[in-house]
Amino acid sequence: GELMKQATLAVEAEDFERATRLFEEACRNDPSLLEAWLQLGQLYADEEQWPSARLALGRALALAPPDPFPIEL
């Protein structure tokens, strides 16, 4: 959606504060947005906000589909 586009542009412009706010809003508006949680987790990690990063990346992991190509031994 539009928030994701704006947030991505903010990352590209290295406006990480704005990007964080926009990804947070995107996640509030649609908690199923895997990419938004991943981006938000990375932004938090970059700022060493470890509890927030862990939460966001945990949400992303919960939303991630199972590996469609599991390794067979």
Side-chain angles (χ1 to χ4, degrees):
E2 186 59 31
L3 278 174
M4 290 293 291
K5 288 179 193 172
Q6 289 179 27
T8 300
L9 290 172
V11 168
E12 290 171 1
E14 298 184 10
D15 186 351
F16 302 121
E17 252 183 67
R18 182 168 189 267
T20 299
R21 285 194 312 273
L22 290 167
F23 280 123
E24 287 171 341
E25 187 176 346
C27 289
R28 279 193 303 275
N29 290 347
D30 184 353
S32 69
L33 288 174
L34 172 61
E35 183 64 26
W37 287 112
L38 284 171
Q39 292 288 343
L40 189 55
Q42 182 63 55
L43 287 163
Y44 286 145
D46 289 346
E47 294 297 317
E48 297 184 5
Q49 295 179 30
W50 304 121
S52 296
R54 187 177 306 117
L55 176 66
L57 294 172
R59 294 268 177 99
L61 184 59
L63 291 169
D67 186 356
F69 303 106
I71 297 172
E72 293 183 25
L73 300 176

